[in-house]
Each structure stands twice: as C-alpha cells, then as structure tokens.
C-alpha cells in the first residue's frame, strides 16, 4: 500500500441530483482532483510530468462499490492511495467516508502513462511513481470482459467545448453522464447504482457525434459509447432500489 492523502468536502447544490444525492460523475471528477492534490503535495505535478517526460496520466478503468451515495450538504472525506504498479499500469484506490465516518464508497482505478504527442502508452518509470511509495508488482489486475451490445436503446449527443478537459479530449466524467442519459428517468429516480465497472478505450475529441447505447436486464445495465471511429467506452452497472429519505 502507498501513502494516503485525504480531503474533506461538502456536497454543493449544483452537484446534487433530483434525488438530493451527489451526481456520480461529479464525485469521480472530485476524486481525481484529490489524487492530483496528492501529487502536488509530493512535487509530482502534471506540469512536472509533461515538462520532464512529455507524459500525461490517462485513466483506463474504474470499479466502484457503493453502499450509498453522499447526500446534498453532507460533509464527506475522500481518501486516496496509489496501491501498486507494474510495467504498464498504475493502480489507485479512493475511499469515500460519510459524515458519520463510515466508508460508503470504494473506487478502484487503473491509470497508464501516455506520451502527449504520440498518444501511445509508455512503460512506467520507477522514478515517476516512487514518491507514492506504492508496491511494484508483476501481476496485471484485470476488469471484467464486456459483451458487445446487440439490441440496445440509444441516445445521441454532440461533443461541445465544455465537455473537454485540459488535455483537449472529452472529460472522463462525461462518459458516465452519457450512459445515464440512455436510461429511463423513472428508473433513475427510484434506483441507485450498487456496483459499476467502467472501461475507457479511446479518446473522443471536439465536434464528434456520439451514440450512447444501453441494454437493461432487470437490475443490471450494460453500456457503450460509440462514434464513427468505433467503440470508446463500456460499462456494466448493478442497481438497487433507492431507500426513501
């Protein structure tokens, strides 16, 4: 296990959904910010990485285990640690604690280092990850296998300026937003995610038209994000009925 870093955060109105719970894509974005704050505290900033190695961090996978979602105005703690790495992948955990101090969400994430110009994945350098004190391992930690969707509900969106992040491609949180948009509103009002597997395959750039595809079987939904360039992201979500507040 690596060095831990923790930030306290109060869920604001503009990040809360119709159920008075945090919008999950916003929580993922804030978790990434916390990992960035840890890197800054260790002198291992994105600017340093780009200047010295011409590299950027890219997320490839998320796994979320959710007991409950943080509520509007709740003060939560987001803790993170870089737990391990191998020659290609870096693995980081996020732990979300509710106002009562109990852990309510655990997020497992996988990162790679990509050359900024070529957009190709490079081998992880020990000196880059050394400040996090994470374990070097040989094993590759793999997520689930995703089946291609045949019959699916679809929705279409156009990639806008505000969908982009500082790297010039679609922000990771937007993919999950688009996946939600393919689902029925009444279902989303009465259910919350229990477990999510999310895999990113290719970047999406400004001006593209995307198709979000979804197939639902009971309390399990499968998702794809596609463009004319092919498949860009996949997800599996297990749902449960929302407890009435």
């Amino acid at each position: 296990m690596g060095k831990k870093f923790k930030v306290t955060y109060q869920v604001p109105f503009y990040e809360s959904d119709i159920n008075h719970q945090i919008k999950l894509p916003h929580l993922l974005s804030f978790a990434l910010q916390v990992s960035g704050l840890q890197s800054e505290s260790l002198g291992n900033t994105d600017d340093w990485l780009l200047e010295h190695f011409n590299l950027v961090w890219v997320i490839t996978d998320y796994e979320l285990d959710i007991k409950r979602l943080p509520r509007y105005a709740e003060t939560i703690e987001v803790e993170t640690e870089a737990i391990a790495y191998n020659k290609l992948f870096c693995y980081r955990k996020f732990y979300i604690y509710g106002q009562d101090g109990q852990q309510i969400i655990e997020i497992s994430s996988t990162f790679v280092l990509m050359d900024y110009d070529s957009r190709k994945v490079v081998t992880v350098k020990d000196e880059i990850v050394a400040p996090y004190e994470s374990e070097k391992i040989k094993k590759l930690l793999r997520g689930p296998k995703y089946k291609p969707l045949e019959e699916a509900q679809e929705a279409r969106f156009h990639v806008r300026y505000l969908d982009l992040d500082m790297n010039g491609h679609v922000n990771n949180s937007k993919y999950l937003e688009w996946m939600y948009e393919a689902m029925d509103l009444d279902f989303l009002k009465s259910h919350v995610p229990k477990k999510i597997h999310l895999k990113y395959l290719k970047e999406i750039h400004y001006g593209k038209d995307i198709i979000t595809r979804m197939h639902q079987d009971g309390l399990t939904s499968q998702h794809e994000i596609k463009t004319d360039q092919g498949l860009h992201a996949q997800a599996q979500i297990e749902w449960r009925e929302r407890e009435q507040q």
Side-chain angles (χ1 to χ4, degrees), residues 100-150:
D100 60 1
Q102 298 297 308
Q103 182 179 311
I104 56 177
I105 299 175
E106 181 175 313
I107 304 171
S108 302
S109 59
T110 303
F111 290 76
V112 295
L113 284 166
M114 179 180 288
D115 184 273
Y116 183 79
D117 296 321
S118 70
R119 314 310 285 180
K120 292 183 178 179
V121 174
V122 302
T123 302
V124 177
K125 298 179 184 293
D126 291 343
E127 62 188 291
I128 292 175
V129 297
Y132 304 101
E133 298 181 4
S134 55
E135 179 185 5
K136 187 173 186 178
I137 60 176
K138 293 183 178 180
K139 183 179 179 180
L140 299 179
L141 307 181
R142 301 185 184 277
K145 292 185 178 180
Y146 298 85
K147 297 179 181 179
L149 300 187
E150 296 179 0

Side-chain angles (χ1 to χ4, degrees), residues 189-222:
K189 289 168 67 175
S190 58
H191 293 78
V192 292
K194 181 173 67 173
K195 191 176 187 69
I196 299 176
H197 289 280
L198 176 57
K199 184 175 186 65
Y200 301 102
L201 300 170
K202 289 190 295 186
E203 298 171 329
I204 302 178
H205 296 279
Y206 176 75
K208 285 290 182 181
D209 292 311
I210 73 101
I211 303 173
T212 175
R213 308 180 71 243
M214 186 276 298
H215 175 78
Q216 186 171 352
D217 184 7
L219 294 177
T220 301
S221 60
Q222 294 179 293

